[in-house]
């Protein structure tokens, strides 16, 4: 895989200050922070029912006003397919939103699968 291409842009001092505040809060380097912000923004464009929340375990994808994506993905199992069991577990959540969470989990499996595995491990303790 080729190395990422550097991008340059100009921002106002106010934007720079706000970015620095967020980067410090998240413990990100400037490169990590910009990359994460862009990835989140791109995900929001494709998955409008997803939001990103701060949790005790870090920043995570969740359905707007609903469960975290890993919870839906974990309930669906490895195939990440919508089922009656998933619908019943999240009865107050629209089917379209659950399907979007599962689509997000498939596309971003590298981010969601480790959370599912960790939470399942903790649940067994």
């Amino acid at each position: 895989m080729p190395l990422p291409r550097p991008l340059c842009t100009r921002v106002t001092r106010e934007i720079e200050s706000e970015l620095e505040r967020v980067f410090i809060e998240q413990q990100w380097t400037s490169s990590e922070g910009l990359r994460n912000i862009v990835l989140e923004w791109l995900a929001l464009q494709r998955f409008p029912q997803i939001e990103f929340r701060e949790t005790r375990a870090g920043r995570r994808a969740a359905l707007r006003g609903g469960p975290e994506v890993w919870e839906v993905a974990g309930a669906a199992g490895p195939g990440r397919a919508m089922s009656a069991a998933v619908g019943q577990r999240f009865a107050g959540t629209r089917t379209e939103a659950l399907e979007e969470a599962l689509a997000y989990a498939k596309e971003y499996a590298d981010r969601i699968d480790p959370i599912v595995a960790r939470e399942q491990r903790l649940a067994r303790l």
Side-chain angles (χ1 to χ4, degrees):
M1 175 181 260
L3 290 174
R5 227 180 95 204
L7 294 174
C8 296
T9 189
R10 296 183 196 285
V11 296
T12 63
R13 292 197 190 285
E14 292 80 17
I15 292 172
E16 181 182 19
S17 295
E18 187 65 16
L19 286 172
E20 285 178 3
R21 184 190 64 73
V22 171
F23 297 163
I24 289 168
E25 187 177 282
Q26 295 295 327
Q27 299 179 351
W28 290 335
T29 65
S30 295
S31 290
E32 288 170 331
L34 287 173
R35 194 169 27 256
N36 287 333
I37 288 170
V38 169
L39 286 172
E40 283 186 13
W41 182 83
L42 290 170
L44 293 173
Q45 302 313 298
R46 297 201 46 233
F47 302 99
Q49 297 184 65
I50 298 291
E51 66 182 2
F52 291 89
R53 294 185 195 147
E54 290 301 323
T55 71
R56 291 181 191 190
R59 194 160 174 81
R60 292 185 171 178
L63 286 172
R64 294 184 186 279
E68 290 185 31
V69 170
W70 75 264
E71 295 175 280
V72 180
R80 303 289 188 253
M82 186 62 192
S83 67
V86 173
Q88 287 175 346
R89 174 145 181 219
F90 302 101
T93 306
R94 291 185 13 245
T95 300
E96 297 82 19
L98 295 171
E99 289 171 344
E100 190 167 297
L102 293 171
Y104 177 92
K106 283 181 185 177
E107 181 150 340
Y108 294 94
D110 60 321
R111 292 176 176 227
I112 300 301
D113 289 352
I115 298 170
V116 171
R118 178 181 183 270
E119 295 295 336
Q120 289 174 343
R121 232 181 5 261
L122 290 174
R124 287 192 296 268
L125 295 178

